[in-house]
């Protein structure tokens, strides 16, 4: 995955192998988008533990942010099911070697 800065604190996440952008629907479902659009913008926050969280810039659920989250098997969870402090929303960006 490639993380590109769009503006201050806002990023776009793109798959290097497929060329698709990570996007979130209004219902909080993650999907791959061929074209970059407002659903592909995520707020990046560096947490106290050194991990990063990514919340949809465009969509909210009941006034709460919807986060990129993976379950224990690596499958995406719906954005409104996760909270910022939950470990399933924490990612550790690494530089390519």
């Amino acid at each position: 995955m490639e993380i590109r800065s769009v503006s201050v604190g806002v990023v776009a996440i793109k798959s290097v192998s497929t060329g698709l952008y990570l996007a979130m629907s209004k219902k909080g479902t993650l999907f791959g988008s061929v074209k970059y659009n407002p659903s592909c913008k995520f707020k990046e926050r560096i947490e106290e533990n050194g991990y990063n969280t990514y919340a949809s810039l465009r969509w909210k659920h009941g006034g709460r942010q919807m986060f990129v989250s993976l379950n224990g098997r690596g499958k995406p969870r719906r954005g409104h099911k996760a909270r910022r402090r939950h470990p399933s929303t924490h990612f550790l960006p690494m530089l390519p070697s």
Side-chain angles (χ1 to χ4, degrees), residues 11-94:
V11 297
I13 303 170
K14 184 177 181 181
S15 169
V16 176
S17 60
T18 64
L20 297 175
Y21 288 94
L22 182 67
M24 186 177 285
S25 72
K26 186 176 184 177
K27 293 184 178 183
T29 306
L30 293 174
F31 66 96
S33 175
V34 176
K35 294 185 179 181
Y36 174 77
N37 60 61
S39 293
C40 300
K41 293 181 181 179
F42 294 93
K43 277 194 273 185
E44 180 180 46
R45 179 182 167 137
I46 301 170
E47 300 296 332
E48 301 84 31
N49 60 6
Y51 287 85
N52 292 6
T53 56
Y54 301 94
S56 175
L57 188 65
R58 185 174 189 188
W59 304 113
K60 291 188 179 193
H61 182 263
R64 292 185 145 189
Q65 293 180 319
M66 292 198 290
F67 289 89
V68 173
S69 176
L70 300 176
N71 68 15
R73 295 183 178 183
K75 296 195 179 209
R77 296 177 67 198
R78 298 270 298 267
H80 65 276
K81 296 276 186 186
R83 300 288 178 253
R84 184 171 63 88
R85 299 240 181 240
H86 197 273
S88 68
T89 63
H90 294 185
F91 296 92
L92 188 60
M94 299 172 66

